[in-house]
Amino acid sequence: MAGGADSCFLGFDFSTQQLKVIAVDGNLEVIVQSSVQFDSELPEFRTRGGVHIHDDKLTVTSPALMFVKALDVLLEKMRNAGFDFSRVKAISGSGQQHGSVFWRKGARQTLNHLDPQKHLHLQLQECFALQDCPVWMDSSTSDQCQFLEAAVGGAQRLADITGSRAYERFTGSQIAKIYRSKPEEFSETERISLISSFASSLFLGDYAPIDFSDGSGMNLMDIFERRWSQVCLDAAAPQLAERLGDLTPSAAVLGCVSLYYTERFGFAPSCKVVAFTGDNPGSLAGMRLQEGDLAVSLGTSDTVFLWIRDPRPSTEGHIFCNPVDCGAYMALICFKNGSFPRERIRDECAGGSWERFSAALRSTPMGNHGNLGMYFDVMEITPPAAGVHRFNAEGQRVSWFEQDVEIRALLEGQFLAKRVHAEKLGYKILAGTRVLATGGASSNKDILQLWRQKQEHRSPRRSETLQNLSWPSDPHQELKRFTRR
Ligand code: XUL
């Protein structure tokens, strides 16, 4: 890696519940980490889990200015902790996928002339045509999805172009909804960024292009040609191409940090801004995933993703451009009910303590005596289902489990679903498949241990891989026990 012994690189993650930063040195060793939690550290925005769930329960947004203020707070925290910004050779990062920021006319001018004496959030407060950004948890755009699929010739045809059938949270349908429901705000909009390109714009002091990988999560980009698909743009809103700007490779150097950062924080004028991308593509790059590996991300959402060469888009799951290799792709399945049900059940069954949650996992056997559950606190993406469904060993629906059984049922159900849906898409999980875990819950050894226990139970030979998922001998059969009723 380039740079002298003293140089370092900053990576930011604008995620659902927090803004996080890590600094790594030239050997990729983490030297500094810091974060700003939206709910607790920026209470003035009144978010829960970083979002506002609107009265219809389907619309989910986050305040644009909250992200900006979080950056002000985070950079100040680093400065107060004595971080030497002049050592930073380059900045990049990621953002929650699909979310969009609507910049008001004139915002580019403001970005170009940021005053280093003032906080960003004070200067940018008038810069958003929409105060509230639609985010990935939104599922209010079913009508727009139907319209988009019909306009291009059906769900499969849309998947063949953009890598996915129309999904409610994807940016194309979100933009179409804003165009129809808030025409004035839409006509006031000069640029639409993804959360990732919005973040790089803040550092660049100018509008940053959307990168190919995160752009694949919009239902607007032809993932094979790597350019906007005119038929999709036309179905979403008029004159969209100019509002979206250019697309760029995910590892492109976009320029240097703006004067704001050199003067206010002491960044070197030569510090590069590398395109930001979506959080899942960012994880694929950061985990240095190889072909044949499978990654499981356990965050606010849970995702399963893998590196593929020969994409075959279907009406379930997504294909995104690969952020690392321009000739490759990544396949992804997203589950909305990730950390929220894990935290809810920790609160209800383990007194809010991860320690007790872990102890429950250690005290219950693999397979949970045949008890299994599916916990869709909010409308799930894969499959589109809601509610809590518990089944006992006889396959009978039951209304409750003992606390320890409930905890294991949740986790076994979540991971069974991951495997079943990945296999349904044709991805093979073989005995030697490396399964890499990332995201908040991956630091819980007992959650990871749960999978390893299963592996050891099945085969006495210890696995050499980092983590090996193992499952009942026929997971499909197991899941059918629940889904057939
Ligand atoms: C992926 C998705 C989520 C968000 C969460 O398609 O919607 O994983 O990226 O940040």
Side-chain angles (χ1 to χ4, degrees):
M1 177 161 281
D6 220 24
S7 50
C8 75
F9 305 84
L10 289 185
F12 290 85
D13 181 28
F14 286 70
S15 73
T16 314
Q17 306 199 46
Q18 63 175 345
L19 168 60
K20 194 165 164 194
V21 66
I22 60 166
V24 293
D25 66 15
N27 298 318
L28 297 180
E29 293 297 333
V30 176
I31 48 178
V32 170
Q33 294 200 50
S34 190
S35 65
V36 173
Q37 301 294 322
F38 299 141
D39 294 2
S40 55
E41 294 183 66
L42 298 171
E44 61 275 34
F45 292 101
R46 297 169 185 273
T47 55
R48 263 192 84 190
V51 300
H52 294 142
I53 301 181
H54 295 228
D55 290 344
D56 64 359
K57 302 264 184 281
L58 300 173
T59 306
V60 185
T61 59
S62 294
L65 209 57
M66 178 179 77
F67 298 129
V68 180
K69 196 162 183 188
L71 183 58
D72 282 328
V73 174
L74 189 60
L75 291 173
E76 249 155 48
K77 268 193 192 182
M78 294 174 81
R79 182 168 59 188
N80 294 343
F83 184 78
D84 179 3
F85 290 99
S86 72
R87 292 170 58 194
V88 181
K89 295 286 170 215
I91 290 177
S92 191
S94 62
Q96 48 173 301
Q97 294 199 256
H98 319 296
S100 43
V101 178
F102 289 64
W103 297 94
R104 189 196 295 285
K105 282 180 188 150
R108 179 174 228 155
Q109 275 289 87
T110 310
L111 273 176
N112 288 170
H113 299 99
L114 290 168
D115 178 351
Q117 302 305 321
K118 297 187 186 146
H119 283 117
L120 286 172
H121 72 274
L122 296 176
Q123 302 183 68
L124 295 178
Q125 55 191 345
E126 301 301 326
C127 283
F128 303 108
L130 277 186
Q131 302 307 312
D132 296 312
C133 308
V135 295
W136 68 275
M137 291 172 74
D138 187 287
S139 49
S140 66
T141 62
S142 303
D143 292 351
Q144 288 77 13
C145 286
Q146 275 178 22
F147 182 81
L148 178 57
E149 287 180 353
V152 303
Q156 183 59 50
R157 177 77 195 115
L158 183 64
D160 289 339
I161 302 169
T162 69
S164 305
R165 70 155 168 84
Y167 279 89
E168 280 81 356
R169 70 192 191 288
F170 275 42
T171 329
S173 299
Q174 294 294 336
I175 293 173
K177 177 183 161 191
I178 301 299
Y179 167 61
R180 305 232 170 260
S181 62
K182 298 187 183 316
E184 267 176 41
E185 287 87 337
F186 187 83
S187 70
E188 269 298 296
T189 300
E190 171 174 274
R191 175 62 68 104
I192 302 172
S193 294
L194 293 179
I195 306 285
S196 55
S197 61
F198 157 72
S200 36
S201 304
L202 294 179
F203 288 106
L204 211 53
D206 201 354
Y207 291 145
I210 290 173
D211 77 291
F212 293 145
S213 281
D214 213 13
S216 312
M218 302 173 79
N219 278 144
L220 294 178
M221 192 186 107
D222 183 325
I223 60 162
F224 297 101
E225 301 287 334
R226 290 179 155 76
R227 54 178 165 72
W228 298 121
S229 155
Q230 198 56 49
V231 54
C232 296
L233 295 185
D234 290 344
Q239 281 136 31
L240 202 45
E242 63 202 51
R243 286 189 166 93
L244 291 171
D246 293 335
L247 288 157
T248 190
S250 304
V253 174
L254 304 179
C256 294
V257 283
S258 88
L259 217 63
Y260 180 83
Y261 300 88
T262 58
E263 299 203 350
R264 190 174 172 90
F265 295 102
F267 278 88
S270 58
C271 173
K272 303 279 185 292
V273 180
V274 177
F276 281 47
T277 187
D279 51 2
N280 293 295
S283 296
L284 179 136
M287 292 166 88
R288 293 192 264 177
L289 213 64
Q290 296 159 14
E291 263 178 278
D293 295 342
L294 189 105
V296 177
S297 171
L298 306 172
T300 308
S301 65
D302 283 357
T303 57
V304 176
F305 53 88
L306 57 168
W307 175 305
I308 52 168
R309 288 248 155 236
D310 179 22
R312 267 162 282 151
S314 87
T315 51
E316 187 170 296
H318 316 297
I319 307 289
F320 298 149
C321 291
N322 188 299
V324 179
D325 176 346
C326 270
Y329 292 84
M330 68 181 278
L332 179 135
I333 309 170
C334 182
F335 303 86
K336 205 191 267 183
N337 291 280
S339 71
F340 286 133
R342 281 193 291 273
E343 285 164 12
R344 178 176 66 75
I345 287 184
R346 175 204 60 191
D347 293 347
E348 289 173 5
C349 299
S353 146
W354 284 120
E355 262 314 303
R356 282 169 62 187
F357 187 90
S358 291
L361 286 176
R362 290 193 296 270
S363 72
T364 44
M366 179 187 71
N368 212 12
H369 297 300
N371 298 300
L372 209 117
M374 289 176 281
Y375 300 78
F376 305 126
D377 288 12
V378 288
M379 174 60 92
E380 186 48 89
I381 297 164
T382 324
V388 174
H389 310 270
R390 298 181 188 83
F391 299 91
N392 65 17
E394 284 73 50
Q396 289 153 344
R397 192 178 268 277
V398 292
S399 57
W400 69 282
F401 285 145
E402 298 284 350
Q403 292 187 334
D404 289 2
V405 173
E406 178 98 317
I407 290 172
R408 183 171 277 276
L410 164 72
L411 286 166
E412 291 196 346
Q414 285 187 327
F415 291 106
L416 201 55
K418 289 178 180 60
R419 176 158 186 170
V420 167
H421 287 284
E423 292 192 332
K424 218 170 127 191
L425 287 181
Y427 302 116
K428 301 238 168 356
I429 297 153
L430 307 167
T433 301
R434 276 200 327 160
V435 179
L436 305 174
T438 184
S442 68
S443 62
N444 183 326
K445 296 274 181 309
D446 292 291
I447 292 182
L448 301 184
Q449 188 63 29
L450 176 106
W451 312 338
R452 188 177 293 150
Q453 271 173 17
K454 292 182 169 192
Q455 176 68 19
E456 285 171 359
H457 177 86
R458 207 173 57 171
S459 137
R461 214 160 45 91
R462 276 190 88 86
S463 157
E464 295 304 320
T465 59
L466 184 58
Q467 279 107 30
N468 251 298
L469 292 182
S470 111
W471 304 89
S473 50
D474 185 352
H476 296 271
Q477 194 56 37
E478 190 101 353
L479 208 69
K480 250 189 262 152
R481 288 203 297 126
F482 314 113
T483 46
R484 67 165 170 251
R485 65 212 78 230

